[in-house]
């Protein structure tokens, strides 16, 4: 068993090693992050001034659609799966993932899915242009021919996610080292266990909704076509039944990462471990009964509006428990502010801002004003960029020395942090204001009074983009060399991953460790 | 031992995923339809109603308004012959919509009803409606499309105005395709 990796490309093609697959997921995700980021910059460049200057409206719509799809399915989700691959076996004392061959599959179908999705940009009629939420009938009757390829790529991504989720559940339930009881598992493992169940529950619903679109487009059914007795509103229900749990799929693992980092740099154990577990489980449960808060304006009876409004607000309670626990963990800790901690603290603050704007949107009568404006864009970017993206970045800085055996450059890390922090706030904070003032989302041109804030937002976006190049440079440099990291890397961090040497050998925990 | 545990778990989880797919495609749409029918939610009115003799409530007058809309670029002319009428609950009422196909080609249209307020939907019965069928009009042809309805005497007291709107869809392509498939089911739920 104890042999090293094969050499050359076939190492990556045939590998069943969780560390190799984790690295591939992370690199793939970063590539998609840059691609989706370039699309965002096209959007922001066009919105720098009112009027049309750089792209045509048709292409603009393709950019917003592809940006959303690539960031959600190509950047955020694979990054979390990559971290899960790397860290879960090392955190629970397992030699590898439970189903290593399926693991190889679930990664390698992804590049094909995204190649197919990206190729729609070059097809007749252009790429999908109906927004990442692809509401019917815009995505059926009025869609470009490339939609069929979009549908197949979603099918493949769904298959990949489901396989990844099954693998993670099997690893966590069947491969824990003796003594690693469920309530001893690190929170990253817990949040991923719950996320994996969410994935298995809702990715098939996404596959179902695109399949119904496929049948409406090609086989004459009328699921979403009013002319044939269907109903476009049904589309929104099915989509958001997937969509809302999906947004929690993108944030629960982030909670786990932050819960690992904050105790290390506050030098105190995590406050309220078990309440964190229960809060995660209740968020996951509640995420299934709030979907129609995305649809307050479709014409629901008052009872429905009220139910979804209160259920949505209820989610703020377990979320608040978490924020409270993080803050309390830091309280009177002997804190230091290395790069992972900076990102984690920014996560806590900025994610909370996103939670508050979510609460504003959850007020059904107020949402009639906010819906489909830039306020919604501001809300979800505050929960996704400093939420999901910052947590992933924090996780990479935190574990990179363990993966590579080398310390990253701390100064460059801090530069990255401050550029990203400033860039993102400059980009997304003004969007609250233009949104409240009534600027609709997904438009290539806008009324003159929104010009100043849009200009500011565009400047911020390019700053944020530049910051990511610093990150890339820092990571590449660390992979190639640098100051050697100790086995513990940080000052007394908690977890089995810190008991193996740095860099982590190709095979770890071939014999299960003793768990206290 | 461990392998078979993994296999068992994988099978269970795959079954869960499979059942969610079935749930999305085969259960959610009918569930949604049933839900809408019970609550009147999307304003769809029911299918053909068999008239039962009922007392006409001559004390009460309900205003019924008719609206005609077009989906997309549907080129037909289409409008109610009477825009608004007052009816007694329980009495059968006849009216017509007027449709013309001004184009140079034979076309098929389908009218889809929607009714507000939603809570009135289940008290508005159609015993005859052009929306139960697709309407084929030859190039340049016009037609009177009949509608016969009864407002249920049990209509909740607060409702004094009912607005029935029809959206006309161009289903020429779909209709010809269905003909090819030999399943031009013309009786449909409106
Ligand atoms: C306290 C927690 C939250 C509440 C109360 C909340 C509430 C809402 C509401 C009501 C909307 C619909 C707004 C509209 O379209 O008019 C919305 C949109 C959205 N939320 Fe949240 N949210 C919360 C947390 C999150 C989190 C954690 C994420 C993801 C990490 C997220 C991602 C999104 C996204 C992506 C959309 C917009 C989807 C679209 O239309 O494109 N939200 N949120
Ligand atoms: Cu939601």
């Amino acid at each position: 068993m104890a042999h090293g990796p094969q050499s050359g490309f076939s190492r990556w093609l045939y590998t069943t090693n969780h560390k190799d697959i984790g690295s591939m997921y992370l690199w793939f995700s970063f590539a998609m992050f840059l691609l989706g980021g370039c699309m965002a910059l096209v959007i922001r460049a066009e919105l720098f001034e009112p009027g049309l200057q750089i792209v045509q409206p048709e292409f603009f719509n393709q950019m917003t659609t592809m940006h959303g799809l690539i960031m959600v399915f190509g950047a955020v989700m694979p990054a979390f799966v990559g971290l899960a691959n790397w860290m879960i076996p090392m955190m629970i004392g397992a030699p590898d993932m439970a189903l290593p061959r399926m693991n190889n599959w679930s990664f390698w179908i992804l590049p094909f899915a995204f190649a197919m999705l990206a190729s729609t940009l070059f097809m007749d009629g252009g790429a999908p242009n109906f927004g990442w939420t692809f509401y019917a009938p815009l995505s059926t009757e009025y869609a470009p021919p490339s939609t069929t390829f979009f549908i197949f790529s979603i099918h493949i991504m769904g298959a990949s996610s489901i396989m990844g989720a099954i693998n993670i559940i099997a690893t966590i339930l069947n491969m824990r080292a003796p003594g690693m009881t469920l309530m001893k598992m690190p929170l990253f493992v817990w949040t991923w266990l719950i996320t994996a169940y969410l994935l298995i529950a809702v990715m098939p619903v996404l596959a179902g909704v695109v399949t119904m679109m496929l049948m409406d487009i090609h086989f004459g059914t009328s699921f979403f076509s009013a002319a044939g007795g269907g109903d476009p509103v049904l589309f929104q229900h099915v989509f958001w039944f997937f969509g809302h749990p999906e947004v929690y799929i993108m944030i629960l693992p982030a909670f786990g990462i932050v819960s690992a980092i904050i105790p290390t740099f506050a030098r105190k154990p995590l406050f309220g471990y078990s309440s964190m577990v229960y809060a995660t489980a209740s968020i996951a449960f509640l995420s299934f009964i709030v979907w129609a808060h995305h649809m307050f304006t479709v014409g629901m009876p008052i009872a429905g509006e009220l139910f979804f409004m209160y259920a949505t607000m209820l989610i703020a309670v377990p979320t608040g428990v978490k924020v409270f626990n993080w803050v309390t963990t830091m309280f009177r800790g002997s804190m230091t502010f290395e790069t992972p901690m900076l990102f984690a603290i920014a996560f806590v603050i900025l994610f909370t801002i996103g939670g508050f704007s979510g609460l504003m949107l959850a007020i059904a009568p107020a949402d009639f004003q906010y819906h489909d404006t830039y306020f919604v864009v501001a809300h979800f970017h505050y929960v996704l960029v400093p939420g999901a993206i910052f947590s992933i970045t924090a996780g990479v800085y935190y574990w990179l020395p363990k993966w590579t055996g080398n310390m990253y450059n701390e100064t460059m890390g801090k530069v990255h942090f401050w550029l990203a922090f400033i860039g993102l706030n400059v980009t997304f904070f003004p969007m609250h204001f233009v949104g409240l003032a009534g600027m609709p989302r997904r438009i290539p041109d806008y009324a003159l009074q929104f010009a100043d804030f849009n200009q500011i937002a565009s400047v911020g976006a390019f700053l944020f983009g530049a910051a990511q190049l610093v990150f890339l440079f820092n990571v590449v440099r660390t992979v190639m060399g640098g100051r050697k990291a100790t086995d513990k890397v940080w000052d007394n961090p908690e977890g089995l991953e810190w008991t193996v040497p740095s860099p982590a050998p190709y095979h770890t925990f071939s014999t299960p460790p003793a768990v206290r | 031992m461990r392998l078979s545990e993994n296999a068992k778990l994988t099978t269970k989880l795959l079954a869960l995923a499979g059942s969610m797919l079935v749930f999305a495609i085969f259960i959610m749409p009918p569930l949604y339809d049933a839900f809408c029918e019970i609550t009147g939610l999307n304003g769809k009115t029911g299918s053909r109603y068999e008239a039962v003799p009922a007392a006409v409530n001559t004390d009460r007058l309900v205003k019924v308004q008719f609206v005609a809309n077009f989906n997309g670029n549907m080129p037909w002319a289409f409008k109610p012959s009477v825009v608004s009428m007052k009816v007694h609950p329980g009495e059968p009422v006849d009216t017509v919509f007027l449709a013309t196909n001004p184009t140079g080609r034979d076309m098929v249209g389908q009218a889809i009803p929607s009714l507000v307020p939603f809570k009135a939907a289940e008290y508005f019965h159609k015993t005859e409606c052009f929306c139960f069928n697709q309407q084929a009009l030859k190039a340049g042809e016009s037609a009177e499309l009949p509608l016969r309805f009864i407002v249920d005497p049990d209509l909740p007291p607060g409702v004094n105005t009912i607005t029935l709107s029809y959206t006309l869809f161009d289903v020429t392509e779909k209709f010809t395709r269905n003909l090819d498939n030999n399943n031009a089911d013309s009786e449909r739920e409106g």
Side-chain angles (χ1 to χ4, degrees):
Chain A
M1 267 297 279
H3 58 78
Q6 286 183 308
S7 55
F9 184 66
S10 61
R11 161 178 177 185
W12 302 104
L13 198 56
Y14 298 129
T15 184
T16 55
N17 179 285
H18 73 103
K19 300 185 181 81
D20 282 353
I21 294 176
S23 304
M24 288 196 295
Y25 263 113
L26 287 167
W27 280 115
F28 176 76
S29 141
F30 195 79
M32 290 297 114
F33 182 53
L34 290 186
L35 179 62
C38 290
M39 292 171 175
L41 293 183
V42 172
I43 296 171
R44 279 322 317 172
E46 176 56 51
L47 292 177
F48 184 71
E49 285 178 350
L52 295 177
Q53 25 285 324
I54 299 174
V55 293
Q56 291 304 304
E58 294 75 28
F59 189 70
F60 184 90
N61 289 343
Q62 296 172 28
M63 285 293 102
T64 54
T65 306
M66 297 290 271
H67 163 72
L69 291 169
I70 288 176
M71 286 305 194
V72 168
F73 297 106
V76 174
M77 291 171 66
F80 281 133
V81 181
L83 290 172
N85 260 292
W86 252 104
M87 299 319 299
I88 288 178
M90 278 172 30
M91 285 176 160
I92 61 175
D96 204 312
M97 296 295 279
L99 308 157
R101 291 190 195 167
M102 191 157 90
N103 207 8
N104 174 293
W105 258 97
S106 58
F107 172 76
W108 273 111
I109 60 179
L110 268 190
F112 293 94
F114 282 90
M116 186 142 89
L117 183 62
S119 71
T120 59
L121 278 167
F122 307 100
M123 290 180 187
D124 258 3
N129 55 3
F130 30 65
W132 84 277
T133 52
F134 51 97
Y135 281 7
L138 208 51
S139 60
T140 50
E141 273 154 56
Y142 305 100
S146 63
T147 304
T148 306
F149 291 93
F150 153 79
I151 290 173
F152 288 141
S153 71
I154 293 282
H155 278 141
I156 302 176
M157 292 170 208
S160 162
S161 293
I162 291 170
M163 287 196 282
I166 290 177
N167 211 343
I168 286 168
I169 295 177
T171 308
I172 298 176
L173 294 187
N174 292 346
M175 307 269 290
R176 274 170 292 133
M180 175 63 78
T181 59
L182 285 177
M183 288 312 268
K184 273 191 194 160
M185 296 192 312
L187 266 174
F188 181 67
V189 181
W190 254 117
T191 52
W192 242 117
L193 179 64
I194 291 169
T195 304
Y197 275 105
L198 283 183
L199 277 169
I200 291 178
V202 301
M203 288 312 277
V205 175
L206 175 69
V209 78
V210 293
T211 306
M212 289 189 265
M213 278 169 57
L214 186 75
M215 298 206 284
D216 272 11
I217 294 173
H218 293 292
F219 304 115
T221 58
S222 301
F223 284 103
F224 309 129
S225 147
D231 190 337
V233 176
L234 170 66
F235 176 92
Q236 298 187 25
H237 281 289
V238 184
F239 178 83
W240 286 115
F241 187 82
F242 147 80
H244 188 81
E246 166 70 18
V247 306
Y248 283 97
I249 287 167
M250 293 190 284
I251 204 68
L252 293 184
F255 292 165
I257 297 171
V258 170
S259 303
I261 293 175
I262 288 183
T264 299
F265 297 97
R267 292 169 181 74
K268 271 175 67 191
L270 183 71
F271 184 85
Y273 170 88
S274 49
S275 70
M276 286 293 210
V277 174
Y278 297 125
T280 311
S282 28
I283 291 176
F285 168 76
L286 287 173
S287 72
F288 284 104
I289 56 164
V290 299
W291 76 89
H293 65 214
H294 296 273
M295 312 167 49
F296 282 138
T297 55
V298 295
M300 264 191 285
I302 192 85
E305 303 263 339
L306 287 175
F307 172 79
F308 287 109
M309 169 167 131
Y310 289 129
T312 303
M313 290 182 168
L314 209 55
I315 295 200
V317 176
T319 313
V321 168
K322 287 184 168 289
V323 173
F324 178 84
N325 287 346
W326 291 320
V327 173
T328 313
T329 306
M330 288 187 270
F331 184 66
R332 294 200 167 163
S334 78
M335 296 217 284
T336 49
F337 300 93
E338 287 86 346
T339 309
M341 183 63 163
L342 288 176
F343 277 100
I345 294 174
F347 171 96
V348 175
I349 298 168
L350 300 180
F351 175 77
T352 306
I353 294 180
F356 279 136
S357 56
L359 274 174
M360 291 174 66
L361 291 167
I363 303 168
D367 185 65
F368 279 68
Q369 162 82 12
Y370 308 147
H371 182 61
D372 268 347
T373 68
Y374 257 85
F375 192 78
V376 177
V377 178
H379 157 65
F380 68 73
H381 282 92
Y382 260 87
V383 280
L384 285 170
V385 179
I389 303 284
F390 267 26
S391 76
I392 294 163
T393 315
V396 169
Y397 278 116
Y398 185 54
W399 287 305
L400 192 62
K402 178 54 67 189
W403 301 338
T404 61
N406 306 320
M407 282 311 278
Y408 61 86
N409 181 315
E410 188 64 51
T411 317
M412 220 191 295
K414 290 203 163 104
V415 169
H416 170 209
F417 169 76
W418 285 109
L419 286 181
F421 180 85
I422 295 168
L424 110 92
N425 283 294
V426 171
T427 311
F428 298 115
F429 212 80
M431 291 183 185
H432 290 111
F433 306 138
V434 285
L436 290 178
M439 177 168 162
R441 62 191 285 200
R442 293 174 175 154
I443 47 162
D445 185 9
Y446 50 84
L448 285 182
Q449 70 266 31
F450 305 129
D452 292 352
F453 282 134
N454 271 289
Q455 216 151 60
I456 297 172
S458 291
V459 172
F462 280 87
L463 188 64
F464 185 82
Q468 304 316 316
L469 300 180
V470 179
F471 181 39
L472 177 64
F473 183 75
N474 203 354
V475 170
V476 171
R477 235 179 64 151
T478 313
V479 171
M480 309 226 291
R483 189 162 59 81
K484 293 286 160 249
T486 60
D487 290 354
K488 275 198 172 303
V489 182
W490 310 109
D491 193 12
N492 222 3
E494 213 186 314
L496 289 176
E497 75 262 38
W498 309 108
T499 63
V500 304
S502 298
Y506 199 57
H507 296 289
T508 39
F509 299 127
S510 301
T511 49
V515 180
R516 283 167 287 130
Chain B
M1 178 64 205
R2 172 155 288 166
L3 197 73
S4 82
E5 263 172 41
N6 282 342
K8 256 191 269 170
L9 185 60
T10 307
T11 320
K12 271 190 221 154
L13 294 174
L14 276 177
L16 176 64
S19 49
M20 286 308 289
L21 184 68
V22 171
F23 175 70
I25 300 184
F26 297 103
I27 306 203
M28 274 167 111
L31 201 65
Y32 175 77
D33 283 345
F35 197 75
C36 289
E37 202 162 316
I38 294 165
T39 58
L41 235 173
N42 53 2
K44 280 192 190 173
T45 48
S47 46
R48 189 190 300 278
Y49 178 75
E50 292 310 330
V52 284
V56 177
N57 180 353
T58 46
D59 296 340
R60 190 172 170 196
L61 271 179
V62 179
K63 189 181 198 181
V64 179
Q65 301 174 315
F66 301 101
V67 177
N69 292 310
F70 301 93
N71 183 59
N73 300 324
M74 179 61 165
W76 289 13
F78 175 58
K79 60 170 201 244
S81 61
V82 185
V83 179
S84 170
M85 53 170 68
K86 296 223 158 146
V87 305
H88 293 298
E91 102 189 288
V93 183
D94 286 294
T95 182
V96 291
F97 275 59
L98 309 171
T100 307
N101 174 4
T103 65
R105 60 200 170 93
D106 301 351
M107 288 179 69
V108 185
Q110 167 73 55
I112 300 291
S114 172
L115 186 141
V116 282
F118 294 156
K119 63 177 168 189
E122 59 176 308
Y123 301 100
F124 189 90
H125 307 304
K126 287 174 295 192
T127 53
E128 185 59 64
C129 177
F130 54 92
C131 61
F132 295 152
N133 300 299
Q134 284 151 346
Q135 306 299 325
L137 289 187
K138 299 211 162 44
E141 191 185 359
S142 293
E144 289 194 345
L145 309 176
L147 167 67
R148 187 183 175 82
F149 65 88
I150 303 172
V151 174
D152 200 303
D154 291 338
L155 181 74
V159 182
N160 298 316
T161 306
I162 294 174
T163 307
L164 176 63
S165 106
Y166 283 101
T167 304
L168 194 65
F169 288 78
D170 176 3
V171 293
T172 313
E173 239 171 71
K174 207 166 211 151
F175 189 66
T176 14
R177 176 156 51 185
N178 280 357
L179 273 185
D180 295 346
N181 295 350
N182 222 351
N183 61 350
D185 58 331
S186 48
E187 183 73 15
R188 39 175 308 104
E189 301 213 349

